[in-house]
Amino acid sequence: MTDEWCGWREATRTALYGDEGFYRRPEGPAGHFRTSVHASGLFASAVARLLVRTARELGSGTVDLVDVGAGRGELLTGVLAALPAEDPSLAVRAYAVELAPRPPGLDPAVTWCSGVPSGVRGLLFANEWLDNVPAEVAEADADGVVRRVLVRRSDGAERLGGPVTGEDARWLERWWPLTRPGERAEIGRPRDEAW
Ligand SMILES: C[S@@+](CC[C@H](N)C(=O)[O-])C[C@H]1O[C@@H](n2cnc3c(N)ncnc32)[C@H](O)[C@@H]1O
């Protein structure tokens, strides 16, 4: 089967975001690991304080808070809960940008979106998001030619594919040059673009 082999970008995309992907599961990422968002309320309180400062600098009584890769909305929920202690008069429009569906029971004040809303003014967070943007893996072969690493869907075996060319080759040359046979790199171009 020729389509059994694909690059790491596609393999990661399927594993994380496909129909049965890790981040689609109902328990969400917090069911498996903790980030600063889940560890305590301190992070949300700090974001709430920063939001108040941002609104003051903007000279506005209304401010937007966008959370990209929002998990199940935990950060936004925490910030909305912490705000009254920081500034009870501040009005916040909260947006969760997520590939996973809106979780049941989330505060209706949170708008659930599939992309970053336009025309927002305030703060945008993307806590632990960029490392979840799938990227290709490259390896220098025995002759030093930099090739895309292919992975077999059925068992995770790897082999080298065609040479890395174009924009990806230029990205590696600039940021992560491979000089010796067997050296490997992630091609972080999709993360740069996401940023
Ligand atoms: C490691 S979790 C971090 C969750 C939360 N920000 C936290 O810090 O606990 C990464 C999240 O990003 C989401 N995600 C990944 N790519 C995305 C995209 N292109 N647009 C929106 N959400 C995305 C995933 O579904 C997942 O919920």
Side-chain angles (χ1 to χ4, degrees), residues 17 23 29 33 35 37-38 69 71 97-99 127-129 132:
Y17 309 117
Y23 284 120
F33 54 84
T35 67
V37 169
H38 323 118
V97 182
E98 241 306 324
L99 294 174
N127 197 60
E128 301 211 15
W129 174 52
N132 290 269

Side-chain angles (χ1 to χ4, degrees), residues 11 14-16 32 53 76 85 99 106 126 133 137 143-144 147 153 162 183 187-188:
T14 307
L16 296 185
H32 297 271
R53 278 221 305 267
L76 294 173
L99 294 174
L106 183 68
V133 173
V137 175
D143 298 320
R147 297 182 176 275
R153 294 173 195 269
E183 274 187 345
I187 306 174

Side-chain angles (χ1 to χ4, degrees), residues 10-98:
E10 172 55 21
T12 307
R13 194 199 60 73
T14 307
L16 296 185
Y17 309 117
D19 289 343
E20 295 177 11
F22 176 76
Y23 284 120
R24 297 270 179 198
R25 294 185 188 165
E27 70 275 17
H32 297 271
F33 54 84
R34 291 200 309 173
T35 67
S36 46
V37 169
H38 323 118
S40 81
L42 289 174
F43 189 64
S45 298
V47 174
R49 266 199 305 283
L50 187 57
L51 196 59
V52 169
R53 278 221 305 267
T54 304
R56 283 183 192 147
E57 278 173 28
L58 291 172
S60 174
T62 304
V63 70
D64 298 311
L65 176 60
V66 181
D67 188 12
V68 180
R72 296 303 176 267
E74 295 93 340
L75 177 61
L76 294 173
T77 302
V79 172
L80 292 177
L83 262 177
E86 301 297 335
D87 181 348
S89 67
L90 183 64
V92 175
R93 287 183 295 246
Y95 300 91
V97 182
E98 241 306 324

